[in-house]
């Protein structure tokens, strides 16, 4: 018999570690190829780690709430045969080398996964203790200060603070049962504080009192993370909006004409989303400075056009899976990508890599009947487009014979952009170009 090391796989460029949340297999269990062995959580998404071999689980190297690094062995599986299959240590090494520490930190800061952005958020990196991204995000969301975090006795490996530890601390603090233990020396700290510039005093929100008839609902972990990222985005970017109305009558009529043949030939339902995504990708190629990120005083111009597509999860939260290299897809390829990501989002089957690397985001507020919206930028991107509901409205139609009133299908495009680096001209020209592509749609187009 041979032994195989099951390792934590790479989960995207900015993800360097994950937290064990649930073991799906126990020691002694038989494991089939591609069986899910363990559930993990990063600060972005929950996922499962499947087995690469068939065998028996003989050892679990980590417990629930332990933090594991990418490429680290998490379990031992006993398999038949003299030699264990190649677990690709060199491949893991190459992947880690391609993501040096400085790049991981930069990407994490841009993605809002660390606390080093100077927006009034506590900087947990100054602590001598190690805290996982999950623990730091919970601390930031719940307003736990660094002294409070350091006072929490950890029950994890090597005394690490686990998710349950910090959630218990937050619960105790709500009930007035916490006590911060700090050792303050009367002389030296005072001198140091006097040398530092005065910090702005945070204004606490007025407490909200719930009556006995009110229902108290605990936010989900993902809900808390989304709330944190949205607030952080507004604090980071100077949001400005441009609105424009597009006539999509040609698209409406063309889709109605071909959708039955499309599903028969391609086996895919043709929605409006891939058509809109195609127009956005074309417009980004025309205006590449909308496809950027900001890092301090520098601008990172993205080579690839990776379109994020806001999708609803079963619990009502939103997630943004990414269509990689969207400008290289034809309409059929775009349709397959959109349907695949939307379907897996609804079934909670997205993988961490599916939500990584987005450079521009599109959200369809029209799905819920809204005619327009003011979406919040998905950091570290600098712009986001909201698609309003398509409405049948009376409109003036210009012809060589004169103007007349006709029934047209129209929609509003709402473009939010970061005014630090995208001025009104670029923001307005970009959404105008998207409108032009939509209105110039060829009604005789073949698919």
């Amino acid at each position: 018999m041979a032994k195989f090391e099951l390792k934590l796989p790479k989960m995207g460029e900015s993800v360097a570690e994950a937290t064990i949340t649930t073991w799906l297999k126990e020691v002694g269990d038989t494991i089939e190829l591609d069986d899910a062995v363990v559930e993990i959580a990063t600060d972005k998404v929950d996922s499962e780690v499947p087995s690469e071999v068939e065998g028996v689980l003989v050892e679990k190297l980590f417990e629930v709430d332990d933090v594991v690094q990418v490429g680290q062995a998490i379990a031992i599986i006993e398999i038949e045969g003299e030699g264990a299959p190649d677990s690709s240590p060199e491949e893991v090494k190459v992947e880690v080398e391609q993501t040096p520490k400085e790049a991981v930190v930069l990407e994490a800061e841009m993605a809002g996964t660390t606390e080093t952005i100077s927006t009034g958020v506590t900087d947990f990196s100054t602590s001598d203790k190690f805290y996982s991204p999950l623990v730091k995000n919970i601390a930031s969301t719940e307003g736990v200060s660094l002294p409070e975090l350091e006072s929490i006795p950890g029950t994890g490996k090597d005394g690490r603070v686990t998710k349950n530890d910090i959630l218990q601390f937050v619960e105790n603090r709500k009930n007035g049962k916490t006590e911060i233990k700090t050792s303050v020396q009367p002389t030296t700290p005072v001198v140091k504080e006097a040398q530092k510039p005065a910090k702005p005093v945070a204004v606490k929100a007025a407490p909200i009192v719930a009556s006995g008839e009110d229902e108290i609902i605990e936010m989900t972990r993902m809900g808390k993370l989304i709330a944190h990222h949205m607030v952080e985005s507004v604090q980071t970017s100077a949001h400005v909006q441009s609105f424009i109305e597009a006539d999509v009558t040609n698209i409406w009529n063309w889709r109605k004409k071909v959708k039955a043949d499309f599903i028969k030939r391609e086996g895919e339902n043709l929605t409006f989303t891939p058509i809109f995504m195609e127009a956005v990708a074309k417009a980004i190629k025309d205006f590449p400075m909308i496809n950027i990120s900001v890092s301090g005083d520098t601008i990172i111009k993205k080579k690839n056009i990776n379109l994020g597509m806001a999708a609803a999860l079963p619990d009502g939260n939103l997630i943004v899976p990414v269509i990689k290299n969207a400008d290289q897809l034809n309409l059929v390829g775009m349709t397959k990508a959109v349907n695949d990501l939307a379907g897996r989002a609804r079934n909670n089957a997205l993988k961490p890599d599916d939500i990584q690397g987005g450079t521009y985001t599109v959200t369809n507020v029209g799905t819920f009947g809204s005619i327009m919206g003011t979406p919040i930028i998905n950091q570290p991107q600098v712009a986001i487009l909201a698609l309003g509901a398509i409405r049948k409205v009376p409109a003036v139609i210009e012809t060589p014979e004169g103007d007349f009133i006709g029934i047209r299908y129209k929609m509003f495009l709402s473009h939010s952009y970061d005014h630090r680096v995208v001025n009104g001209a670029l923001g307005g020209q970009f959404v105008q170009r998207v409108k032009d592509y939509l209105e110039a749609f060829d009604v005789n187009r073949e698919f």
Side-chain angles (χ1 to χ4, degrees), residues 113-170:
T113 60
T114 66
E115 306 302 334
T116 59
I117 299 174
S118 58
T119 56
V121 180
T122 301
D123 183 4
F124 298 117
S125 64
T126 59
S127 174
D128 294 332
K129 295 184 179 180
F130 173 82
Y131 299 105
S132 71
L134 179 61
V135 169
K136 287 191 287 186
N137 272 301
I138 294 174
S140 179
T141 301
E142 296 292 345
V144 178
S145 67
L146 182 57
E148 288 177 316
L149 185 59
E150 291 182 329
S151 73
I152 300 174
T155 61
K157 187 178 180 181
D158 298 327
R160 287 180 179 174
V161 175
T162 67
K163 177 183 69 175
N164 291 335
D165 293 334
I166 189 168
L167 290 178
Q168 184 62 51
F169 174 84
V170 171

Side-chain angles (χ1 to χ4, degrees), residues 43-55:
D43 62 333
K44 294 179 179 294
V45 71
D46 295 346
S47 185
E48 297 175 345
V49 177
S51 174
E52 304 169 45
V53 296
E54 297 180 355

Side-chain angles (χ1 to χ4, degrees), residues 155-376:
T155 61
K157 187 178 180 181
D158 298 327
R160 287 180 179 174
V161 175
T162 67
K163 177 183 69 175
N164 291 335
D165 293 334
I166 189 168
L167 290 178
Q168 184 62 51
F169 174 84
V170 171
E171 183 64 26
N172 290 341
R173 188 175 66 173
K174 290 179 181 177
N175 298 329
K177 298 179 181 178
T178 59
E179 180 181 351
I180 303 175
K181 297 181 180 180
T182 58
S183 127
V184 180
Q185 297 179 354
T187 306
T188 306
V190 173
V191 174
K192 289 184 177 180
E193 287 300 324
Q195 295 171 349
K196 293 181 180 180
K199 294 183 178 180
V201 178
V203 179
K204 293 185 178 180
I208 300 176
V209 180
S211 69
E213 299 177 352
D214 298 331
E215 180 183 4
I216 308 299
I217 301 174
E218 180 71 18
M219 291 179 66
T220 63
R221 187 181 68 86
M222 179 169 286
K224 292 178 181 179
L225 291 175
I226 291 174
H228 170 68
H229 290 326
M230 293 299 97
V231 172
E232 186 177 65
S233 179
V234 173
Q235 293 174 338
T236 301
S237 298
H239 282 61
V240 176
Q241 285 82 30
S242 293
F243 305 92
I244 199 166
E245 190 175 28
D247 188 329
V248 293
T249 305
N250 288 346
I251 294 175
W252 180 281
N253 292 335
W254 180 83
R255 175 182 172 272
K256 183 178 180 180
K257 179 178 66 174
V258 305
K259 65 179 181 179
D261 291 336
F262 192 95
I263 194 170
K264 185 184 298 183
R265 195 185 88 175
E266 302 295 338
E268 297 282 350
N269 182 35
L270 177 62
T271 64
F272 291 104
T273 300
I275 301 174
F276 298 149
M277 288 291 194
E278 182 184 55
V280 170
K282 289 180 179 179
I284 291 176
K285 293 189 73 172
D286 295 339
F287 296 96
M289 288 305 292
I290 211 77
N291 200 49
I292 64 174
S293 292
V294 181
S295 177
D297 294 330
T298 62
I299 292 174
I300 301 173
K301 187 178 178 182
K302 300 294 185 177
K303 179 180 179 181
N304 299 325
I305 298 176
N306 299 333
L307 294 184
M309 178 187 71
L313 293 171
D315 61 2
N317 286 316
L318 290 177
I319 198 166
V320 186
V322 178
I323 303 171
K324 306 293 175 58
N325 298 308
D327 57 314
Q328 299 178 19
L329 299 176
N330 60 19
L331 187 58
V332 174
M334 187 75 79
T335 301
K336 291 180 182 291
V338 166
N339 291 351
D340 172 57
L341 291 173
R344 288 195 286 124
R346 286 192 295 268
N347 296 320
N348 280 324
L350 289 172
K351 299 178 180 178
D353 193 54
D354 292 328
I355 61 171
Q356 300 290 328
T359 61
Y360 186 92
T361 297
V362 178
T363 180
N364 190 351
V365 299
T367 301
F368 312 105
S370 299
I371 62 172
M372 65 172 63
T374 55
I376 297 175

